[in-house]
Amino acid sequence: MLLVTNKIAYMSILVSDNVYYLEGVSKYYKYLKLVKRNALLTIENKLNSLYHFWLWSLSNDVEFDEDLQLYFARYLQALEEGFKIINVTNISEFNEDIEYLVFESKPKQVSTIEKEKRAVESFFQYMGTFKSKEYNLEKNFLSYNKKAKYNKGSSYGLKMSKYMQNILLDDVSILPSKNTNIKGDIKAFPFKLFDELLELAKPRERLLYLLYGACSARLNQALNLTYYDIDYDSRNVWLIDPKSNNQLGFHGIGRKQFLKDIYDINIATDKAHNKFNFKYPIPTNYKSQMPLFWLNKNYQILFFNTLVEYSPLPEALRKPRHPFFFVRSTGKRLSSDEVHKSFKKHLELLAKKFPEYAYKLDGLGIHSLRHMFGSVMATVEAKLFQSGQPEKTHFIKWFTSNAMGHANQSSTDIYFNRSWDIEIELGEFFQSLVKSMQESEYQLHTAKRGKNEKKW
């Protein structure tokens, strides 16, 4: 189990009546919280990645002459292909072994694997700074099959060679990134089909798709929308982290305390609400109570027109009462799995209707709509260059970064990608521009030379 609260973090697993825990997690948790000042959600995500690697290591032996780099590379490949952790327990009454699933990791995309990799490496780097015997952990994450002579309470951990410690302490990745040099909008939903997607969707899903694609919202950010985040007069929308009191939004009250005071919802422990994580706020300048940015006004208008068509169960009839906007017919909150399921169905319908786009739609998830937002803005930048308005292009990156909630420009660069045909078009434009400049320079040089020859 992985337990993360506002005060502690703990990682353990029961294997054949023995309890194993990962040493150093509690200290690492305090480091992330107090030194790195990470938000609780960020800490949870990092520890989740570490927990998955640890579970995998318990059922995968270290191979002959395999150091940390090779072992970790094998794990990243397992993430790409997907894997299951199976445990076997003996029922003495029947003298029979029973298998059960401990953990399953579905195949992950390169960008997700990169995040998992960075999270695990962060733990390695931190643990490598200790010199005391207390944290001289055993080499690699030794597998359970390799060494099973521990008693209850024994721990698994990591002790790196001096060579590996030097690499990690220099903040260099154990393995090179797979997607560092990847460019292009391969993860983006095709913008040409966005209106078609909105047509297919029922009002509830259409509203969600508009928040994802036209406002660049993340999956659970949109699912955290409440009745208090919509201003019908100004036609503005806010998305507020329910676990925070810093993001005030439209009605200017700290959301975490507001939910507790008005609805008696403890957002940290209430099972109906605590699984809807939020990540970083959007837009970037949320502290000034800035509403969401829209891709264009037409989508903003469509959103408010669609609100009239959507009739969720009234708040007063929900048991227990809550203010969250996207719900099932029963009044219970709509889950991220249900959104994924609807989106997958719509992708299949679009692929049948537009077979030429089938390969672009294959394997896309909801996050592809956020990627679409960045791709559209990058295309707008290209069109401004081509239309002779380069002075306006620096506002595009600013708008995109703010809309997507990025404080770091490198984060925006991951999304700010044009399709290959637009890239070719832009390349041809610059080639013609350079050619034109060369021709002008040649004509000017020829004219000057002609003048000089006449003087002689």
Side-chain angles (χ1 to χ4, degrees), residues 168-179:
L168 294 173
L169 295 182
D170 288 340
D171 202 30
V172 177
S173 174
I174 297 174
L175 295 172
S177 170
K178 272 196 171 186
N179 67 344

Side-chain angles (χ1 to χ4, degrees), residues 136-350:
N136 277 341
L137 307 175
E138 306 216 2
K139 183 183 177 182
N140 288 327
F141 275 50
L142 297 176
S143 76
Y144 170 71
N145 295 328
K146 192 84 171 181
K147 195 167 185 178
K149 294 181 180 180
Y150 285 89
N151 297 318
K152 288 187 179 182
S154 296
S155 66
Y156 279 111
L158 170 74
K159 179 181 178 182
M160 291 166 283
S161 67
K162 289 184 179 179
Y163 170 73
M164 288 307 300
Q165 282 186 12
N166 289 336
I167 289 178
L168 294 173
L169 295 182
D170 288 340
D171 202 30
V172 177
S173 174
I174 297 174
L175 295 172
S177 170
K178 272 196 171 186
N179 67 344
T180 301
N181 297 318
I182 291 178
K183 291 292 181 182
D185 65 338
I186 55 173
K187 303 172 189 171
F189 181 90
F191 180 58
K192 290 182 179 178
L193 297 186
F194 187 51
D195 286 353
E196 294 285 346
L197 174 68
L198 298 175
E199 282 285 332
L200 284 175
K202 292 180 179 179
R204 184 182 65 185
E205 277 66 35
R206 188 185 309 140
L207 291 169
L208 283 166
Y209 295 161
L210 283 165
L211 292 174
Y212 297 138
C215 297
S216 76
R218 299 175 182 90
L219 174 58
N220 281 329
Q221 283 178 330
L223 290 175
N224 276 307
L225 181 73
T226 73
Y227 286 105
Y228 302 96
D229 303 323
I230 304 170
D231 182 2
Y232 290 85
D233 293 331
S234 67
R235 293 202 164 190
N236 282 317
V237 181
W238 288 259
L239 290 177
I240 307 300
D241 184 354
K243 297 180 181 180
S244 169
N245 279 322
N246 296 325
Q247 300 168 42
L248 302 180
F250 173 42
H251 73 328
I253 304 173
R255 183 56 49 86
K256 181 181 177 181
Q257 193 60 44
F258 176 75
L259 290 172
K260 181 64 179 172
D261 293 344
I262 305 301
Y263 296 92
D264 196 28
I265 293 175
N266 186 330
I267 203 67
T269 60
D270 194 320
K271 291 183 179 179
H273 305 287
N274 66 357
K275 61 182 176 290
F276 293 87
N277 295 324
F278 198 83
K279 208 171 182 179
Y280 305 112
I282 58 171
T284 307
N285 48 353
Y286 66 91
K287 288 186 178 179
S288 61
Q289 296 178 244
M290 183 73 74
L292 296 178
F293 290 14
W294 293 87
L295 206 53
N296 66 47
K297 280 286 183 182
N298 291 334
Y299 291 127
Q300 186 179 15
I301 292 169
L302 177 60
F303 182 88
F304 279 87
N305 288 344
T306 305
L307 285 175
V308 179
E309 302 176 48
Y310 178 49
S311 301
L313 188 72
E315 184 186 309
L317 299 179
R318 300 175 186 179
K319 296 180 181 179
R321 192 168 69 98
H322 70 82
F324 293 98
F325 197 66
F326 294 109
V327 294
R328 307 171 195 161
S329 58
T330 60
K332 290 186 177 180
R333 293 187 65 177
L334 188 70
S335 71
S336 56
D337 286 342
E338 289 171 302
V339 177
H340 276 300
K341 187 176 179 181
S342 297
F343 186 62
K344 185 178 180 181
K345 181 182 71 176
H346 289 138
L347 290 181
E348 290 170 355
L349 292 172
L350 287 173

Side-chain angles (χ1 to χ4, degrees), residues 5-9 25-40 42-43 46-47 126:
T5 72
N6 282 317
K7 296 182 178 179
I8 63 166
V25 169
S26 179
K27 198 171 185 71
Y28 179 58
Y29 166 82
K30 291 177 182 176
Y31 165 75
L32 292 176
K33 185 177 182 181
L34 302 175
V35 179
K36 298 292 287 184
R37 310 283 296 191
N38 286 165
L40 186 60
T42 302
I43 296 173
K46 287 182 178 180
L47 292 183
Y126 175 71

Side-chain angles (χ1 to χ4, degrees), residues 12-129:
S12 67
I13 187 171
L14 177 66
V15 181
S16 300
D17 295 327
N18 291 326
V19 177
Y20 301 96
Y21 67 93
L22 182 59
E23 195 169 353
V25 169
S26 179
K27 198 171 185 71
Y28 179 58
Y29 166 82
K30 291 177 182 176
Y31 165 75
L32 292 176
K33 185 177 182 181
L34 302 175
V35 179
K36 298 292 287 184
R37 310 283 296 191
N38 286 165
L40 186 60
L41 176 58
T42 302
I43 296 173
E44 286 177 2
N45 289 336
K46 287 182 178 180
L47 292 183
N48 254 313
S49 298
L50 178 61
Y51 183 59
H52 299 161
F53 177 47
W54 184 53
L55 289 179
W56 180 87
S57 74
L58 291 174
S59 59
N60 287 272
D61 286 331
V62 179
E63 295 177 353
F64 175 73
D65 202 26
E66 186 174 46
D67 61 14
L68 176 62
Q69 188 178 39
L70 295 175
Y71 190 65
F72 196 39
R74 188 149 59 91
Y75 170 67
L76 296 180
Q77 186 176 358
L79 284 179
E80 197 171 333
E81 297 169 354
F83 64 87
K84 293 181 180 180
I85 303 296
I86 305 292
N87 195 17
V88 180
T89 187
N90 182 266
I91 302 178
S92 56
E93 291 85 353
F94 299 98
N95 193 24
E96 189 174 339
D97 289 337
I98 301 295
E99 289 188 356
Y100 62 91
L101 182 67
V102 176
F103 175 73
E104 180 178 5
S105 177
K106 300 284 179 67
K108 299 184 185 300
Q109 294 184 351
V110 173
S111 58
T112 304
I113 293 173
E114 179 66 17
K115 291 178 183 177
E116 298 264 336
K117 180 172 80 75
R118 287 199 302 267
V120 175
E121 287 180 342
S122 172
F123 175 75
F124 288 166
Q125 287 161 2
Y126 175 71
M127 294 310 296
T129 63

